[in-house]
Every structure is written in structure tokens, then in C-alpha cells.
């Protein structure tokens, strides 16, 4: 406000100065922070009044006769020349001055009031209009800002949403990338491992290639050698072929020999066929035959090995058939001729049979039992000493029990030339071997006499004893024995036990 007042005062002073003239003298008064400049009115070409009531008499500081325009130096001269007039004048001047200052103060107050009220009015008006405008603007701005803030919040939420979404995506991506990195790490490790392996394999491959190359070279050289050999051999073959051609063309004698040979071969083939026919016929047919008697009855007259089917079973066994002795048809159970087979055997061997059917053998207690118990059989014991003397013992009824009865002997209706009395023990005697003592002796007859037989205690016969090839003066008790024919010793004897149905 003080500044505004100073400005107003300065403006008024300026207006006054403009009205009065530029040549007027200026006076500046300092009042507090303000400085006031006054341009005082001057009396121009006029006589000074007595009372000096005119304000501009204040400016009349020099006598009227004094020349105007030299203002400041002249009052000093007047004071020195006329002190009383000067004193009065000074007093009036002072009062005028006071009056002026008062007036000035009033003026100032007035101006100040005016200015203040004007300013306030101005202010009020301005403020009113401005506040209205401002209010409108403010409301506008407020509405706008509200909208803006709304938009901003929307945008913010969107941005937040987007950023959160982006952050989530980023997180996912980072996780994904982590996983990928791990995966890639693993894969790179694997790749490195594989590359290591690969390099190792390559090295091995190279080594193998080198080796194979060497081997290939060796093989190629071998191949070349072989080819050379082949060529040489083919040459030789061609030579030989030529020679052969010449010789075949030439050899008429050889052709004749060949013809002879083919003839003989054909003859031999025919003979072989004949033989096959001979052997085949009896071999095929006996399959349905129960024993050698049926084979003999079918017309076979040749002694030999044939197959029979045991009664009440599908079991077929091979047997030696004697087709000569006393009408033939004999199924051989036992045969000794040269001691080639050991007969000092255990129970199981005698049960199942042993030896060679064409030579020395024991047919087997099970077979003998099955055969002789199926129908009534006769036993024929054929003996021949080393001088060739033959004899026989025959039993019209013969069979043996099964293993459950230790193959007990049943032989009756004795006849024959090998002794007037039967050398076989009586009915019911069990079979004994070196490992199964079923005899009636406190001893073990099988071990004393050797072989397996129907020992009693130990009995007058044992055709399965030890085969002694020649006679001697020493008495043997463990040799082949048919007591009632030739005593305890039978040396180099041929024995055959064989059966045939009693009604043959
Ligand atoms: C001062 O001025 C007033 C009028 O404004 C006047 O009445 C009065 O006589 C003057 N006083 C002097 C001493 O001149
Ligand atoms: C982000 O905006 C979508 C629609 O644009 C909305 O389905 C989702 O719920 C919002 N998510 C958040 C966290 O605001
Ligand atoms: C065939 O044999 C006769 C003698 O029998 C002989 O003179 C002739 O040179 C032979 N031919 C060949 C091609 O060897
Ligand atoms: C015993 O006789 C059989 C049949 O006759 C014969 O195969 C075998 O070679 C003979 N063995 C000895 C040692 O004489
Ligand atoms: C054979 O079988 C018949 C009936 O199937 C029977 O009666 C007979 O005793 C049997 N013979 C033998 C030796 O088993
Ligand atoms: C057969 O012989 C054995 C001993 O070898 C004996 O234990 C058994 O009782 C005999 N069987 C019969 C029926 O006597
Ligand atoms: Ca005994």
C-alpha cells in the first residue's frame, strides 16, 4: 500500500509539474520510508501581497525588486540586509509551511483514504468478478480435474493391472527361463558327454578303420593269391578234362570193365533187396505175435531175432527165436555159449535182462513172467558139452511169478535126456541174486555159486554160473551146473533155456 501511495504521489507530482512547467524548482521531503517531491508555485511578474496569504508567497523568498531566477542565494542577502522583515516573513513562512504540511497531511490522508477505498472497491469488484470467474473456472477445473483424476485412477488401475499382469508374466517368464536354462544346462552337459563319447567312438572308429583297412589289404592280397590259385587250378582242371576226354574216348577196355561192374552192382542190389524182403517180412509181422511160436506158425523157419508183443500190454520186446530145435517156435530165455557176457549180476539186471540176443543173454524176469503167466508154457533146457554131446531137460508146465513173489519158479512134468531127475529145484523156489538173498540157505547161494538163479540151499542147478572155458581137475562149485546131467562141473558148455506154448 505504501508503494502504491508513493506511486500515486509521484504521479500527482508529475501532473503538477506538467501543469506548472518544467522550469520550476523541485523540493524533496523525506517522510519515513517515503520521499515526496514538491514543485512549489512561484510568483511571476507580480507584486508581493502584504499578508502573504497566497501559498505561493512562500516562494517569494527574495524581495520583489530582486531579480527573479536567482532564488537560493538571494534570501541569504535579504536576511542580512533586513532582519525584522525577514523574521516575520519567516514566521509566516513557517506557518504557511505548517499549514502546507497539514494540508499535505490531509491531502495525504484523503488520498490515502481515497486510494484505500478505491483500492478496496476495485479490489472488491475485481475480487467479485474474479471470484465468479475464478469460481466458474474453479468449478470447471474441479470438474475437469475430477474427471481427470477419475481417468487418471482408471489409467492407474489399468496400468497397475497391466503392470501386475506383466509382473506375473515376467515371473512366469523368469521361471520358464530358469527352467529352460536348467534344461539347456542339462542338455549342454549331455551334449558334452555325448560329444566326448562321440570323440571316443570316432577314435575307436578310426582305429577300427585302420585295422580293417589293414585286414582288407591282407584279404585283398589273399584274394589275389586265391584268384591266381584258382586260375592255376582251372587251367589244371581244363587240362585234366582234356585228358579225361581223351581217356574216356580211348578206354574201351575200361568201358567193358564198367559194364561188368554195373552188372555186379545190379546183382548185389537185387541180392540186398532179396535180403531185405527176407528180413522185413518176419520183422514186420511179429508185432502182432505174442511169442516165437506164433511167428513159427506164421511160416517163419529161420532162427533169429524177432519182435513180439507181450500179452495184455503194448510193450514190444525183441527176442531170439529158435526155429530149428524140435519143431522150432521156441522163445529163448537164456543162452550161454562162450562166456563173453558176465552173468554175476544184481537183481535189477536179471529183472530187465542183459547180454546180446544173438549171443549170450538173459531175457529178463519181468518178460519171462509176463510171457509164461499169460498161458501154459513148456520149458526146454538144451545143453551141449564141449565135445558136442547134446542133452535136454523139458518141463511141460513152466512159469514164474512176478517180482512181488521174487519170481518164484514153477516147473513140472519133467522129461528129457539130461539126467533122470530134474536138476531144477521144486516149485515155489524164489529167485536170488548177489544182492537179493531169497534162498533157504543160511548162506548166500548167489554169492557162493555166482549169478542169479532159483537157489534153494543151494540146489543142483545153476545155468547162470561162471562160464569156465575148459575142463580141469579142479572142482568148481560156482560154474555152470546141471547136476543130474554131468555133476557139479560143466565146462565150455552151451546152454539154452527156451519156452513154447504147451499145446504147440
Ligand atoms: C491556513 O489556511 C486556512 C485555509 O485553508 C486559513 O483559514 C488560515 O488562515 C491559514 N493560516 C495561515 C497562518 O495562513
Ligand atoms: C485386470 O483386467 C482384467 C480385464 O481387463 C480383469 O479380468 C482382471 O481381473 C484385472 N486384474 C486385476 C488384478 O485387477
Ligand atoms: C588211344 O589208345 C591207343 C592205343 O590203344 C593209342 O595209340 C592212342 O594214341 C590213344 N589215343 C589217345 C587220344 O590217347
Ligand atoms: C561169443 O559168441 C557170440 C555169438 O556167437 C559172438 O558174437 C562173440 O564174438 C563171441 N565172443 C567170444 C569172446 O568168443
Ligand atoms: C490180461 O487181461 C485179461 C483181461 O483184461 C485178464 O483177465 C488177464 O488176467 C490178464 N493177463 C495178465 C497176464 O495180466
Ligand atoms: C522177496 O525177497 C525179499 C528180500 O529179497 C523179501 O523181503 C520178501 O519178503 C520176498 N517176497 C516174498 C513174497 O517172499
Ligand atoms: Ca540165504
Amino acid at each position: 500500500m505504501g508503494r502504491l501511495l508513493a506511486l500515486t504521489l509521484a504521479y500527482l507530482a508529475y501532473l503538477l509539474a506538467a501543469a506548472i512547467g518544467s522550469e520550476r524548482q523541485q523540493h524533496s521531503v523525506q517522510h519515513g520510508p517515503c520521499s515526496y517531491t514538491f514543485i512549489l508555485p512561484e510568483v511571476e511578474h507580480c507584486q508581493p501581497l502584504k499578508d502573504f496569504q497566497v501559498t505561493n508567497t512562500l516562494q517569494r523568498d527574495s524581495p520583489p525588486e530582486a531579480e527573479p531566477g536567482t532564488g537560493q542565494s538571494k534570501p541569504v542577502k535579504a536576511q542580512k540586509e533586513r532582519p525584522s522583515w525577514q523574521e516575520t516573513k519567516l514566521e509566516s513562512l513557517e506557518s504557511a509551511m505548517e499549514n502546507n504540511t497539514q494540508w499535505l497531511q490531509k491531502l495525504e490522508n484523503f488520498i490515502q483514504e481515497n486510494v484505500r477505498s478505491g483500492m478496496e472497491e476495485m479490489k472488491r469488484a475485481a475480487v467479485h468478478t474474479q471470484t465468479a470467474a475464478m469460481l466458474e473456472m474453479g468449478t470447471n477445473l474441479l470438474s475437469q480435474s475430477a474427471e481427470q483424476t477419475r481417468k487418471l485412477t482408471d489409467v492407474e488401475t489399468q496400468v497397475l493391472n497391466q503392470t501386475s499382469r506383466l509382473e506375473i508374466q515376467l515371473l512366469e517368464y523368469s521361471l520358464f527361463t530358469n527352467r529352460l536354462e536348467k534344461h539347456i544346462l542339462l542338455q549342454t552337459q549331455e551334449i558334452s558327454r555325448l560329444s566326448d563319447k562321440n570323440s571316443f567312438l570316432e577314435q575307436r572308429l578310426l582305429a577300427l578303420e585302420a585295422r580293417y583297412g589293414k585286414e582288407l589289404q591282407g584279404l585283398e592280397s589273399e584274394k589275389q593269391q586265391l584268384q591266381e590259385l584258382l586260375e592255376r587250378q582251372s587251367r589244371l582242371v581244363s587240362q585234366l578234362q582234356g585228358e579225361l576226354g581223351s581217356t574216356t574216348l580211348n578206354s574201351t577196355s575200361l568201358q567193358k570193365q564198367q559194364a561188368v561192374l554195373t552188372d555186379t552192382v545190379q546183382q548185389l542190389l537185387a541180392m540186398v533187396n532179396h535180403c531185405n524182403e527176407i528180413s522185413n517180412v518176419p520183422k514186420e509181422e511179429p508185432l502182432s505175435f505174442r511169442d516165437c511160436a506164433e511167428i513159427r506158425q506164421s511160416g517163419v523157419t529161420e532162427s533169429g531175432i524177432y519182435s513180439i508183443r507181450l500179452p495184455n500190454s503194448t510193450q514190444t520186446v525183441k527176442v531170439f527165436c529158435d526155429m530149428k530145435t524140435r519143431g522150432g517156435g521156441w522163445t529163448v530165455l537164456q543162452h550161454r555159449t562162450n562166456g563173453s557176457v558176465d552173468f554175476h549180476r544184481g537183481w535189477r539186471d536179471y529183472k530187465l535182462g542183459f547180454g546180446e540176443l544173438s549171443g549170450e543173454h538173459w531175457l529178463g524176469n519181468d518178460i519171462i513172467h509176463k510171457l509164461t503167466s499169460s498161458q501154459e508154457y513148456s520149458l526146454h533146457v538144451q545143453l551141449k558139452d564141449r565135445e558136442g554131446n547134446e542133452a535136454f531137460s523139458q518141463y511141460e508146465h513152466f512159469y514164474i511169478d512176478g517180482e512181488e513173489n521174487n519170481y518164484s519158479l514153477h516147473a513140472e512134468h519133467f522129461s528129457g535126456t539130461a539126467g533122470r531127475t530134474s536138476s531144477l529145484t521144486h516149485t515155489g523156489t524164489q529167485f536170488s541174486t548177489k544182492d537179493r538173498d531169497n534162498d533157504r540157505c543160511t548162506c548166500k547161494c548167489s554169492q557162493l555159486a555166482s549169478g542169479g538163479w532159483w537157489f534153494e540151499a543151494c540146489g543142483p542147478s545153476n545155468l547162470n554160473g561162471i562160464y569156465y572155458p575148459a575142463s580141469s581137475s579142479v572142482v568148481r562149485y560156482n560154474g555152470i551146473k546141471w547136476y543130474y546131467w554131468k555133476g557139479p562141473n560143466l565146462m565150455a558148455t552151451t546152454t539154452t533155456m527156451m519156452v513154447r506154448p504147451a499145446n504147440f
Side-chain angles (χ1 to χ4, degrees), residues 311-313 369-371 373-375:
N312 273 15
S313 84
H369 159 67
K370 278 175 188 168
L371 194 65
S373 62
S374 65
Q375 71 178 89

Side-chain angles (χ1 to χ4, degrees), residues 333 368 372 377-379 395-400 409-411 499:
L333 308 181
I368 294 166
T372 58
Y377 271 90
S378 304
L379 173 67
Y395 301 83
E396 295 307 318
H397 301 294
F398 167 78
Y399 71 98
I400 62 168
L409 177 71
H410 301 271
V499 292

